[in-house]
Protein backbone atom coordinates (compact mmCIF):
# COMPACT_ATOMS: atom_id res chain seq x y z
CA UNK A 1 0.00 0.00 0.00
CA UNK A 2 1.38 3.43 -0.95
CA UNK A 3 2.18 5.69 2.00
CA UNK A 4 0.04 8.85 2.14
CA UNK A 5 1.89 12.09 1.34
CA UNK A 6 3.40 13.66 4.45
CA UNK A 7 4.19 16.97 2.79
CA UNK A 8 1.86 19.17 0.74
CA UNK A 9 3.68 21.54 -1.61
CA UNK A 10 1.61 24.47 -2.87
CA UNK A 11 2.97 25.86 -6.14
CA UNK A 12 4.68 24.00 -9.00
CA UNK A 13 7.12 26.72 -10.03
CA UNK A 14 10.89 26.19 -9.76
CA UNK A 15 10.84 26.44 -5.95
CA UNK A 16 7.99 23.99 -5.40
CA UNK A 17 9.32 21.56 -8.00
CA UNK A 18 12.79 21.65 -6.42
CA UNK A 19 11.34 20.95 -2.97
CA UNK A 20 9.14 18.12 -4.26
CA UNK A 21 11.98 16.49 -6.22
CA UNK A 22 14.30 16.69 -3.21
CA UNK A 23 11.71 15.06 -0.94
CA UNK A 24 11.02 12.27 -3.43
CA UNK A 25 14.72 11.70 -4.02
CA UNK A 26 15.09 11.25 -0.25
CA UNK A 27 12.27 8.73 -0.11
CA UNK A 28 9.44 10.92 1.21
CA UNK A 29 5.98 10.94 -0.44
CA UNK A 30 4.81 14.39 -1.46
CA UNK A 31 1.67 15.99 -2.87
CA UNK A 32 2.13 18.93 -5.25
CA UNK A 33 -0.74 21.22 -6.27
CA UNK A 34 -0.88 24.34 -8.44
CA UNK A 35 -3.71 26.75 -9.22
CA UNK A 36 -2.61 27.03 -12.88
CA UNK A 37 -4.01 24.67 -15.48
CA UNK A 38 -0.51 23.89 -16.74
CA UNK A 39 2.90 25.49 -17.08
CA UNK A 40 2.96 28.89 -18.75
CA UNK A 41 5.30 29.74 -21.61
CA UNK A 42 6.24 33.17 -20.25
CA UNK A 43 10.07 33.35 -20.08
CA UNK A 44 10.05 35.34 -16.79
CA UNK A 45 13.36 34.85 -14.94
CA UNK A 46 16.41 34.31 -17.12
CA UNK A 47 19.66 34.00 -15.18
CA UNK A 48 20.71 30.95 -13.17
CA UNK A 49 23.73 31.38 -10.87
CA UNK A 50 26.18 28.87 -9.42
CA UNK A 51 24.50 28.26 -6.05
CA UNK A 52 21.17 27.34 -7.63
CA UNK A 53 22.89 25.29 -10.33
CA UNK A 54 24.67 23.23 -7.68
CA UNK A 55 21.31 22.56 -6.01
CA UNK A 56 19.83 21.47 -9.35
CA UNK A 57 22.89 19.34 -10.03
CA UNK A 58 22.15 17.33 -6.88
CA UNK A 59 18.77 16.55 -8.42
CA UNK A 60 20.25 15.55 -11.78
CA UNK A 61 18.83 18.58 -13.57
CA UNK A 62 21.70 21.06 -13.95
CA UNK A 63 23.39 19.43 -16.94
CA UNK A 64 20.17 19.31 -19.01
CA UNK A 65 19.62 22.96 -18.06
CA UNK A 66 23.15 23.84 -19.19
CA UNK A 67 22.61 22.12 -22.54
CA UNK A 68 19.74 24.50 -23.31
CA UNK A 69 21.32 27.61 -21.80
CA UNK A 70 23.64 30.37 -22.94
CA UNK A 71 26.73 30.92 -20.73
CA UNK A 72 26.98 34.66 -20.09
CA UNK A 73 30.50 36.02 -20.45
CA UNK A 74 30.01 39.21 -18.48
CA UNK A 75 28.19 42.48 -17.96
CA UNK A 76 29.01 46.05 -18.93
CA UNK A 77 27.77 49.38 -17.60
CA UNK A 78 27.27 52.45 -19.80
CA UNK A 79 26.41 56.10 -19.21
CA UNK A 80 25.89 58.80 -21.84
CA UNK A 81 26.94 56.34 -24.52
CA UNK A 82 30.27 55.67 -22.80
CA UNK A 83 31.33 52.33 -21.34
CA UNK A 84 32.03 52.85 -17.66
CA UNK A 85 32.78 49.42 -16.30
CA UNK A 86 32.77 45.73 -17.01
CA UNK A 87 32.53 42.52 -15.03
CA UNK A 88 33.68 39.15 -16.34
CA UNK A 89 31.74 36.02 -15.53
CA UNK A 90 33.00 32.46 -15.48
CA UNK A 91 35.85 33.17 -13.04
CA UNK A 92 34.46 31.50 -9.92
CA UNK A 93 36.60 28.64 -8.67
CA UNK A 94 35.82 25.59 -6.56
CA UNK A 95 32.60 24.92 -8.44
CA UNK A 96 31.43 23.00 -11.46
CA UNK A 97 29.49 26.11 -12.51
CA UNK A 98 31.98 29.01 -12.64
CA UNK A 99 29.57 31.47 -14.26
CA UNK A 100 25.88 32.21 -14.74
CA UNK A 101 23.69 30.68 -17.42
CA UNK A 102 20.95 32.46 -19.32
CA UNK A 103 17.98 30.10 -19.51
CA UNK A 104 14.27 31.03 -19.64
CA UNK A 105 12.29 29.92 -16.60
CA UNK A 106 9.99 27.53 -18.56
CA UNK A 107 13.04 25.44 -19.51
CA UNK A 108 14.01 25.05 -15.86
CA UNK A 109 10.41 24.19 -14.93
CA UNK A 110 10.13 21.66 -17.77
CA UNK A 111 13.28 19.81 -16.74
CA UNK A 112 12.35 19.81 -13.06
CA UNK A 113 8.90 18.51 -14.00
CA UNK A 114 10.47 15.67 -16.01
CA UNK A 115 12.61 14.81 -12.98
CA UNK A 116 9.52 14.89 -10.77
CA UNK A 117 7.81 12.35 -13.04
CA UNK A 118 10.94 10.17 -13.06
CA UNK A 119 10.82 10.11 -9.24
CA UNK A 120 7.18 9.05 -9.24
CA UNK A 121 5.64 12.44 -8.49
CA UNK A 122 2.95 14.43 -10.28
CA UNK A 123 1.31 17.84 -10.23
CA UNK A 124 -2.38 18.30 -9.46
CA UNK A 125 -3.14 21.21 -11.79
CA UNK A 126 -6.06 23.64 -11.48
CA UNK A 127 -6.18 23.09 -7.73
CA UNK A 128 -6.64 26.27 -5.72
CA UNK A 129 -5.93 26.66 -2.01
CA UNK A 130 -8.79 28.51 -0.32
CA UNK A 131 -7.70 28.36 3.34
CA UNK A 132 -4.83 27.23 5.54
CA UNK A 133 -5.02 26.78 9.30
CA UNK A 134 -2.86 25.08 11.89
CA UNK A 135 -4.40 22.62 14.33
CA UNK A 136 -2.05 21.06 16.84
CA UNK A 137 0.80 19.38 15.02
CA UNK A 138 -0.83 19.52 11.58
CA UNK A 139 -1.91 21.98 8.93
CA UNK A 140 -5.49 21.88 7.72
CA UNK A 141 -5.77 22.96 4.09
CA UNK A 142 -8.92 23.47 2.07
CA UNK A 143 -8.58 23.02 -1.70
CA UNK A 144 -10.87 23.45 -4.68
CA UNK A 145 -10.44 22.09 -8.19
CA UNK A 146 -11.46 23.79 -11.42
CA UNK A 147 -14.46 21.49 -11.56
CA UNK A 148 -15.68 22.74 -8.20
CA UNK A 149 -14.70 19.71 -6.10
CA UNK A 150 -13.73 20.72 -2.56
CA UNK A 151 -11.31 18.79 -0.37
CA UNK A 152 -10.03 19.42 3.15
CA UNK A 153 -6.79 17.68 4.13
CA UNK A 154 -4.77 17.58 7.34
CA UNK A 155 -1.07 17.03 6.69
CA UNK A 156 2.03 17.06 8.90
CA UNK A 157 3.80 19.69 6.79
CA UNK A 158 2.99 22.31 4.15
CA UNK A 159 5.40 24.22 1.89
CA UNK A 160 3.93 27.44 0.54
CA UNK A 161 5.73 28.11 -2.73
CA UNK A 162 2.79 29.87 -4.35
CA UNK A 163 4.35 33.14 -5.43
CA UNK A 164 4.36 36.79 -4.42
CA UNK A 165 0.59 36.83 -3.86
CA UNK A 166 0.85 33.70 -1.73
CA UNK A 167 -2.48 32.41 -0.46
CA UNK A 168 -0.63 30.36 2.15
CA UNK A 169 1.23 33.39 3.55
CA UNK A 170 -1.87 35.59 3.57
CA UNK A 171 -4.05 32.90 5.16
CA UNK A 172 -1.63 32.64 8.07
CA UNK A 173 -1.40 36.42 8.47
CA UNK A 174 2.38 36.55 8.00
CA UNK A 175 3.42 40.14 7.18
CA UNK A 176 5.22 40.72 3.88
CA UNK A 177 7.56 43.54 4.82
CA UNK A 178 9.26 45.90 2.41
CA UNK A 179 8.56 48.37 -0.38
CA UNK A 180 7.27 48.70 -3.91
CA UNK A 181 9.08 50.85 -6.46
CA UNK A 182 7.29 53.97 -7.66
CA UNK A 183 8.39 52.99 -11.16
CA UNK A 184 6.82 50.80 -13.81
CA UNK A 185 8.93 48.26 -15.65
CA UNK A 186 8.46 46.99 -19.20
CA UNK A 187 10.38 44.35 -21.10
CA UNK A 188 10.36 42.49 -24.35
CA UNK A 189 12.04 39.36 -25.70
CA UNK A 190 12.72 39.47 -29.40
CA UNK A 191 15.11 40.04 -32.25
CA UNK A 192 17.16 43.23 -32.03
CA UNK A 193 19.08 44.49 -35.06
CA UNK A 194 22.39 46.17 -34.36
CA UNK A 195 25.83 45.52 -32.94
CA UNK A 196 25.43 43.65 -29.64
CA UNK A 197 27.75 41.12 -27.96
CA UNK A 198 26.17 37.65 -28.22
CA UNK A 199 26.93 36.57 -24.63
CA UNK A 200 26.84 39.78 -22.58
CA UNK A 201 24.39 41.71 -20.44
CA UNK A 202 24.51 45.50 -20.91
CA UNK A 203 23.21 48.19 -18.55
CA UNK A 204 22.74 51.64 -20.10
CA UNK A 205 22.14 54.25 -17.40
CA UNK A 206 20.55 57.59 -18.26
CA UNK A 207 18.73 60.40 -16.41
CA UNK A 208 15.47 59.07 -17.88
CA UNK A 209 16.03 55.54 -16.59
CA UNK A 210 17.76 52.30 -17.41
CA UNK A 211 18.01 50.15 -20.53
CA UNK A 212 19.08 46.54 -19.98
CA UNK A 213 19.93 44.20 -22.86
CA UNK A 214 20.54 40.51 -22.23
CA UNK A 215 21.44 37.95 -24.90
CA UNK A 216 19.02 34.99 -25.10
CA UNK A 217 20.07 31.35 -25.60
CA UNK A 218 18.18 30.76 -28.86
CA UNK A 219 19.06 34.11 -30.41
CA UNK A 220 17.64 37.54 -29.83
CA UNK A 221 17.77 39.72 -26.73
CA UNK A 222 15.69 40.82 -23.81
CA UNK A 223 15.23 44.61 -23.57
CA UNK A 224 14.16 46.04 -20.23
CA UNK A 225 13.22 49.58 -19.18
CA UNK A 226 11.81 51.49 -16.21
CA UNK A 227 9.16 54.20 -16.56
CA UNK A 228 7.24 56.60 -14.33
CA UNK A 229 3.93 55.04 -13.31
CA UNK A 230 1.27 55.79 -15.89
CA UNK A 231 -2.19 54.89 -17.10
CA UNK A 232 -1.14 52.24 -19.57
CA UNK A 233 -2.19 48.68 -18.84
CA UNK A 234 -1.32 45.45 -20.54
CA UNK A 235 1.97 44.47 -22.18
CA UNK A 236 3.89 47.10 -24.19
CA UNK A 237 3.77 46.90 -27.98
CA UNK A 238 6.81 47.02 -30.24
CA UNK A 239 6.32 50.72 -30.94
CA UNK A 240 6.54 51.62 -27.25
CA UNK A 241 9.62 49.47 -26.77
CA UNK A 242 11.29 50.95 -29.86
CA UNK A 243 10.61 54.48 -28.66
CA UNK A 244 12.34 53.70 -25.36
CA UNK A 245 15.17 51.91 -27.15
CA UNK A 246 15.77 54.93 -29.40
CA UNK A 247 15.82 57.32 -26.44
CA UNK A 248 18.15 55.32 -24.20
CA UNK A 249 20.14 53.41 -26.80
CA UNK A 250 20.92 56.49 -28.93
CA UNK A 251 19.35 54.98 -32.03
CA UNK A 252 21.83 52.13 -32.30
CA UNK A 253 19.34 49.25 -32.30
CA UNK A 254 16.05 48.31 -33.93
CA UNK A 255 13.49 45.83 -32.67
CA UNK A 256 12.64 43.55 -35.60
CA UNK A 257 10.09 41.41 -33.74
CA UNK A 258 9.09 40.40 -30.23
CA UNK A 259 7.63 37.10 -29.03
CA UNK A 260 6.89 38.11 -25.42
CA UNK A 261 6.40 41.45 -23.68
CA UNK A 262 5.36 42.38 -20.16
CA UNK A 263 4.56 45.37 -17.94
CA UNK A 264 4.87 45.04 -14.17
CA UNK A 265 5.69 46.66 -10.84
CA UNK A 266 8.66 45.62 -8.71
CA UNK A 267 8.44 44.80 -5.01
CA UNK A 268 11.30 44.25 -2.58
CA UNK A 269 9.81 42.41 0.36
CA UNK A 270 10.64 39.65 2.81
CA UNK A 271 8.17 37.69 4.93
CA UNK A 272 8.39 38.43 8.64
CA UNK A 273 8.98 34.72 9.26
CA UNK A 274 9.48 31.73 7.00
CA UNK A 275 7.82 29.24 9.34
CA UNK A 276 4.47 29.12 11.09
CA UNK A 277 4.27 25.82 12.99
CA UNK A 278 3.99 23.05 10.39
CA UNK A 279 3.87 25.53 7.47
CA UNK A 280 6.92 26.91 5.66
CA UNK A 281 7.26 29.66 3.05
CA UNK A 282 9.73 29.41 0.17
CA UNK A 283 10.58 31.24 -3.03
CA UNK A 284 8.55 34.28 -4.05
CA UNK A 285 6.04 33.55 -1.28
CA UNK A 286 8.83 34.36 1.18
CA UNK A 287 10.77 37.07 -0.66
CA UNK A 288 10.21 39.41 -3.62
CA UNK A 289 13.17 40.88 -5.50
CA UNK A 290 14.05 43.51 -8.03
CA UNK A 291 15.00 41.75 -11.28
CA UNK A 292 18.56 43.10 -10.94
CA UNK A 293 21.00 40.19 -10.97
CA UNK A 294 18.32 37.51 -11.33
CA UNK A 295 18.26 36.74 -7.60
CA UNK A 296 14.63 35.70 -7.09
CA UNK A 297 14.74 32.41 -8.98
CA UNK A 298 18.15 31.50 -7.59
CA UNK A 299 17.19 32.16 -3.99
CA UNK A 300 13.94 30.22 -4.43
CA UNK A 301 15.61 27.11 -5.85
CA UNK A 302 17.98 27.04 -2.89
CA UNK A 303 15.03 27.50 -0.51
CA UNK A 304 13.35 24.49 -2.07
CA UNK A 305 16.40 22.25 -1.83
CA UNK A 306 17.20 23.31 1.74
CA UNK A 307 13.66 22.74 2.97
CA UNK A 308 13.32 19.50 1.02
CA UNK A 309 16.31 17.72 2.50
CA UNK A 310 15.61 18.98 6.03
CA UNK A 311 11.98 17.85 5.99
CA UNK A 312 13.01 14.49 4.53
CA UNK A 313 15.64 14.02 7.24
CA UNK A 314 13.13 14.75 10.02
CA UNK A 315 10.50 12.51 8.49
CA UNK A 316 13.09 9.73 8.42
CA UNK A 317 14.12 10.13 12.02
CA UNK A 318 16.38 13.15 12.40
CA UNK A 319 15.70 15.46 15.34
CA UNK A 320 12.75 17.80 14.64
CA UNK A 321 14.94 20.68 15.82
CA UNK A 322 16.68 20.48 12.45
CA UNK A 323 13.72 22.37 10.99
CA UNK A 324 14.37 25.22 13.40
CA UNK A 325 17.34 26.08 11.18
CA UNK A 326 15.28 26.83 8.06
CA UNK A 327 14.26 30.36 9.02
CA UNK A 328 17.63 31.48 10.51
CA UNK A 329 19.49 30.10 7.50
CA UNK A 330 17.25 31.09 4.61
CA UNK A 331 15.64 34.33 5.83
CA UNK A 332 18.93 36.26 6.31
CA UNK A 333 20.19 34.90 3.00
CA UNK A 334 17.00 36.02 1.26
CA UNK A 335 17.05 39.44 2.94
CA UNK A 336 20.65 39.93 1.81
CA UNK A 337 19.78 38.96 -1.77
CA UNK A 338 16.87 41.41 -1.71
CA UNK A 339 19.14 44.19 -0.41
CA UNK A 340 21.78 43.46 -3.04
CA UNK A 341 19.29 43.60 -5.92
CA UNK A 342 17.65 46.69 -4.46
CA UNK A 343 21.02 48.42 -4.20
CA UNK A 344 21.73 47.70 -7.87
CA UNK A 345 18.31 48.96 -8.90
CA UNK A 346 18.75 52.21 -6.99
CA UNK A 347 22.06 52.75 -8.79
CA UNK A 348 20.22 52.32 -12.10
CA UNK A 349 17.59 54.88 -11.21
CA UNK A 350 19.67 57.75 -9.86
CA UNK A 351 18.40 61.12 -11.13
CA UNK A 352 20.44 64.02 -9.67
CA UNK A 353 23.44 64.90 -11.80
CA UNK A 354 25.98 64.91 -8.90
CA UNK A 355 24.82 61.47 -7.74
CA UNK A 356 25.06 60.07 -11.27
CA UNK A 357 28.54 61.54 -11.72
CA UNK A 358 29.70 59.98 -8.45
CA UNK A 359 28.17 56.63 -9.41
CA UNK A 360 29.87 56.65 -12.79
CA UNK A 361 33.22 57.54 -11.20
CA UNK A 362 32.94 54.77 -8.61
CA UNK A 363 31.88 52.14 -11.14
CA UNK A 364 34.84 52.97 -13.36
CA UNK A 365 37.33 52.99 -10.49
CA UNK A 366 36.07 49.73 -8.99
CA UNK A 367 36.02 48.07 -12.40
CA UNK A 368 39.60 49.01 -13.23
CA UNK A 369 40.84 47.72 -9.86
CA UNK A 370 38.91 44.45 -10.18
CA UNK A 371 37.05 45.16 -6.94
CA UNK A 372 33.67 45.36 -8.70
CA UNK A 373 34.00 41.85 -10.03
CA UNK A 374 35.37 40.45 -6.76
CA UNK A 375 32.39 41.83 -4.86
CA UNK A 376 29.44 41.51 -7.22
CA UNK A 377 29.98 38.05 -8.69
CA UNK A 378 30.21 36.08 -5.40
CA UNK A 379 27.20 37.99 -4.04
CA UNK A 380 25.10 37.07 -7.06
CA UNK A 381 26.35 33.48 -7.17
CA UNK A 382 25.16 32.73 -3.60
CA UNK A 383 27.64 29.87 -3.54
CA UNK A 384 29.49 30.01 -0.22
CA UNK A 385 26.96 31.17 2.35
CA UNK A 386 28.02 31.87 5.93
CA UNK A 387 25.92 29.52 8.05
CA UNK A 388 28.29 29.42 11.02
CA UNK A 389 25.59 30.81 13.33
CA UNK A 390 22.98 28.24 12.28
CA UNK A 391 21.48 26.01 14.97
CA UNK A 392 21.94 23.10 12.54
CA UNK A 393 25.74 23.17 12.73
CA UNK A 394 28.11 22.58 15.62
CA UNK A 395 30.16 25.71 16.00
CA UNK A 396 33.25 24.15 17.64
CA UNK A 397 35.82 23.35 14.93
CA UNK A 398 38.38 20.58 15.23
CA UNK A 399 42.09 21.44 14.87
CA UNK A 400 43.13 21.15 11.25
CA UNK A 401 39.56 20.65 10.08
CA UNK A 402 37.20 22.66 7.90
CA UNK A 403 34.89 25.28 9.42
CA UNK A 404 31.39 24.12 10.41
CA UNK A 405 28.74 26.17 8.67
CA UNK A 406 30.74 26.75 5.49
CA UNK A 407 30.60 24.94 2.18
CA UNK A 408 33.41 22.42 1.89
CA UNK A 409 35.96 23.17 -0.81
CA UNK A 410 36.79 20.83 -3.64
CA UNK A 411 39.81 18.57 -3.97
CA UNK A 412 41.00 15.98 -6.53
CA UNK A 413 40.25 12.37 -5.61
CA UNK A 414 42.05 9.22 -6.65
CA UNK A 415 39.34 6.54 -6.35
CA UNK A 416 40.51 3.33 -4.67
CA UNK A 417 37.40 1.41 -3.74
CA UNK A 418 33.69 2.05 -4.12
CA UNK A 419 34.01 5.69 -5.11
CA UNK A 420 34.41 6.54 -8.80
CA UNK A 421 34.35 10.36 -8.60
CA UNK A 422 37.60 12.14 -9.40
CA UNK A 423 36.82 15.22 -7.28
CA UNK A 424 35.21 15.62 -3.88
CA UNK A 425 32.45 17.85 -5.23
CA UNK A 426 31.54 15.22 -7.80
CA UNK A 427 31.35 12.66 -5.00
CA UNK A 428 29.04 14.94 -3.01
CA UNK A 429 26.85 15.81 -6.02
CA UNK A 430 24.33 13.05 -5.19
CA UNK A 431 22.56 15.36 -2.72
CA UNK A 432 22.86 12.81 0.09
CA UNK A 433 24.26 13.25 3.57
CA UNK A 434 27.93 12.26 3.80
CA UNK A 435 30.41 11.24 6.47
CA UNK A 436 33.97 12.07 5.45
CA UNK A 437 36.74 10.43 7.47
CA UNK A 438 40.27 11.74 6.80
CA UNK A 439 43.37 9.99 8.08
CA UNK A 440 45.77 7.13 7.41
CA UNK A 441 45.85 5.42 10.80
CA UNK A 442 43.83 2.41 11.94
CA UNK A 443 41.54 4.71 13.94
CA UNK A 444 40.32 6.39 10.75
CA UNK A 445 39.53 3.08 9.04
CA UNK A 446 37.74 1.89 12.17
CA UNK A 447 35.69 5.10 12.31
CA UNK A 448 34.66 4.75 8.65
CA UNK A 449 33.64 1.14 9.26
CA UNK A 450 31.66 2.11 12.37
CA UNK A 451 29.85 4.89 10.49
CA UNK A 452 28.94 2.65 7.56
CA UNK A 453 27.78 -0.16 9.86
CA UNK A 454 25.60 2.14 11.94
CA UNK A 455 23.98 3.84 8.93
CA UNK A 456 23.27 0.43 7.43
CA UNK A 457 21.69 -0.69 10.70
CA UNK A 458 19.47 2.40 10.64
CA UNK A 459 18.38 1.63 7.10
CA UNK A 460 19.42 5.02 5.73
CA UNK A 461 22.26 4.12 3.39
CA UNK A 462 20.09 5.45 0.57
CA UNK A 463 20.42 8.84 2.29
CA UNK A 464 24.08 8.80 3.35
CA UNK A 465 27.54 7.99 2.00
CA UNK A 466 30.72 7.26 3.92
CA UNK A 467 34.11 8.12 2.41
CA UNK A 468 37.52 7.36 3.91
CA UNK A 469 39.96 9.92 2.55
CA UNK A 470 43.60 8.84 2.65
CA UNK A 471 46.67 11.07 2.18
CA UNK A 472 47.55 11.14 -1.52
CA UNK A 473 51.20 10.28 -0.88
CA UNK A 474 50.61 7.25 1.37
CA UNK A 475 50.01 3.54 0.70
CA UNK A 476 46.51 2.41 -0.18
CA UNK A 477 45.36 -0.07 2.47
CA UNK A 478 42.76 -2.71 1.78
CA UNK A 479 39.78 -2.56 4.18
CA UNK A 480 39.91 -5.42 6.65
CA UNK A 481 36.14 -5.95 6.63
CA UNK A 482 33.55 -5.75 3.86
CA UNK A 483 33.80 -2.70 1.60
CA UNK A 484 30.98 -0.91 3.42
CA UNK A 485 32.46 2.51 2.81
CA UNK A 486 34.08 4.26 -0.13
CA UNK A 487 37.82 4.75 -0.30
CA UNK A 488 39.81 7.45 -2.11
CA UNK A 489 43.07 9.34 -1.82
CA UNK A 490 43.08 13.13 -1.58
CA UNK A 491 43.78 16.08 0.66
CA UNK A 492 41.17 17.33 3.08
CA UNK A 493 39.95 20.81 2.10
CA UNK A 494 40.20 23.20 5.01
CA UNK A 495 42.65 25.08 7.19
CA UNK A 496 45.31 22.41 7.60
CA UNK A 497 46.19 18.76 7.75
CA UNK A 498 44.34 16.43 10.14
CA UNK A 499 46.33 15.19 13.11
CA UNK A 500 47.72 11.70 13.37
CA UNK A 501 44.43 10.36 14.73
CA UNK A 502 42.44 11.78 11.82
CA UNK A 503 39.19 13.71 11.52
CA UNK A 504 35.57 12.91 10.76
CA UNK A 505 33.22 15.45 9.15
CA UNK A 506 29.47 15.39 8.67
CA UNK A 507 28.57 17.03 5.36
CA UNK A 508 24.98 18.09 4.79
CA UNK A 509 23.28 17.40 1.45
CA UNK A 510 24.01 21.02 0.46
CA UNK A 511 27.75 20.45 0.88
CA UNK A 512 27.96 22.51 4.08
CA UNK A 513 30.05 21.17 6.96
CA UNK A 514 27.66 20.33 9.78
CA UNK A 515 30.09 19.00 12.37
CA UNK A 516 33.76 18.03 12.70
CA UNK A 517 35.33 15.79 15.37
CA UNK A 518 38.90 14.71 15.97
CA UNK A 519 39.25 10.92 16.15
CA UNK A 520 41.32 11.21 19.30
CA UNK A 521 39.43 8.50 21.17
CA UNK A 522 37.21 5.55 20.25
CA UNK A 523 33.56 6.17 19.48
CA UNK A 524 33.84 9.81 18.45
CA UNK A 525 32.36 9.15 15.03
CA UNK A 526 29.19 8.15 16.86
CA UNK A 527 28.85 11.73 18.11
CA UNK A 528 28.92 12.85 14.50
CA UNK A 529 26.10 10.51 13.48
CA UNK A 530 23.65 12.11 15.89
CA UNK A 531 22.89 14.71 13.19
CA UNK A 532 21.83 12.10 10.62
CA UNK A 533 18.43 10.41 10.21
CA UNK A 534 17.83 7.44 12.49
CA UNK A 535 15.58 5.62 10.04
CA UNK A 536 12.60 5.80 12.42
CA UNK A 537 9.97 7.19 10.09
CA UNK A 538 7.63 9.71 11.66
CA UNK A 539 4.26 10.68 10.21
CA UNK A 540 3.58 13.52 12.62
CA UNK A 541 6.75 15.11 13.95
CA UNK A 542 5.98 17.84 16.45
CA UNK A 543 6.47 21.37 15.02
Amino acid sequence: MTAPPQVLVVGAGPTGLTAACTLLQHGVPVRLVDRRECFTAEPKALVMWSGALEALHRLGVAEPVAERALPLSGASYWSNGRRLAGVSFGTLTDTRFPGPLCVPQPVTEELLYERLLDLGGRVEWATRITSVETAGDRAVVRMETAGGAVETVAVPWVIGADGVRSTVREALGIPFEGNSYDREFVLGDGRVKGDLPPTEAQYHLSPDGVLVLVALPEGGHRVFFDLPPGNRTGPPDDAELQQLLDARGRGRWTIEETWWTSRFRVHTKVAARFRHGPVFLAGDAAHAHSPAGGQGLNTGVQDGFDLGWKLAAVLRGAAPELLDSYDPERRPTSAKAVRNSERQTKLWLLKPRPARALRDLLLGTLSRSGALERRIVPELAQLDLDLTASPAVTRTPAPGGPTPGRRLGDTPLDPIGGATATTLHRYLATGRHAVLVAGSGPGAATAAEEAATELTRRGVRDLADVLLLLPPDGPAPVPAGPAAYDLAAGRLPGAGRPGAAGLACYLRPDGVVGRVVALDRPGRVGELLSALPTGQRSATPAP
Side-chain angles (χ1 to χ4, degrees), residues 347-486:
L347 284 175
W348 293 354
L349 305 182
L350 286 175
K351 300 298 180 187
R353 184 187 296 271
R356 288 188 289 110
L358 179 59
R359 175 201 63 197
D360 294 354
L361 176 63
L362 286 174
L363 281 174
T365 302
L366 293 173
S367 174
R368 288 189 294 273
S369 69
L372 189 64
E373 182 175 315
R374 289 193 300 271
R375 177 171 179 174
I376 286 181
V377 174
E379 280 184 352
L380 296 175
Q382 296 188 41
L383 191 61
D384 186 12
L385 306 176
D386 185 355
L387 305 180
T388 52
S390 168
V393 302
T394 301
R395 302 180 192 181
T396 305
T403 303
R406 301 308 295 255
R407 171 176 172 271
L408 191 68
D410 202 6
T411 189
L413 293 184
D414 181 11
I416 298 172
T420 59
T422 55
T423 72
L424 183 57
H425 279 188
R426 288 179 182 269
Y427 182 83
L428 300 174
T430 60
R432 293 192 287 266
H433 304 261
V435 176
L436 173 60
V437 180
S440 57
T446 299
E449 187 70 42
E450 289 177 357
T453 300
E454 172 60 17
L455 294 172
T456 300
R457 185 195 67 79
R458 296 181 185 183
V460 295
R461 285 310 302 271
D462 63 314
L463 294 182
D465 297 312
V466 180
L467 175 66
L468 176 58
L469 189 63
L470 301 170
D473 50 359
V478 177
Y485 55 85
D486 297 323

Side-chain angles (χ1 to χ4, degrees), residues 33 36 41 56 72 133 163 167 198 211 224 227 277 327 352 361 397 442 459 477:
V33 301
R36 298 173 296 173
L56 293 181
L72 293 176
E133 299 175 346
T167 300
L211 156 64
F224 176 92
L227 293 169
D327 186 286
L361 176 63

Side-chain angles (χ1 to χ4, degrees), residues 200-214:
E200 184 182 81
Q202 290 192 356
Y203 300 85
H204 294 262
L205 314 175
S206 76
D208 296 326
V210 68
L211 156 64
V212 182
L213 298 115
V214 184

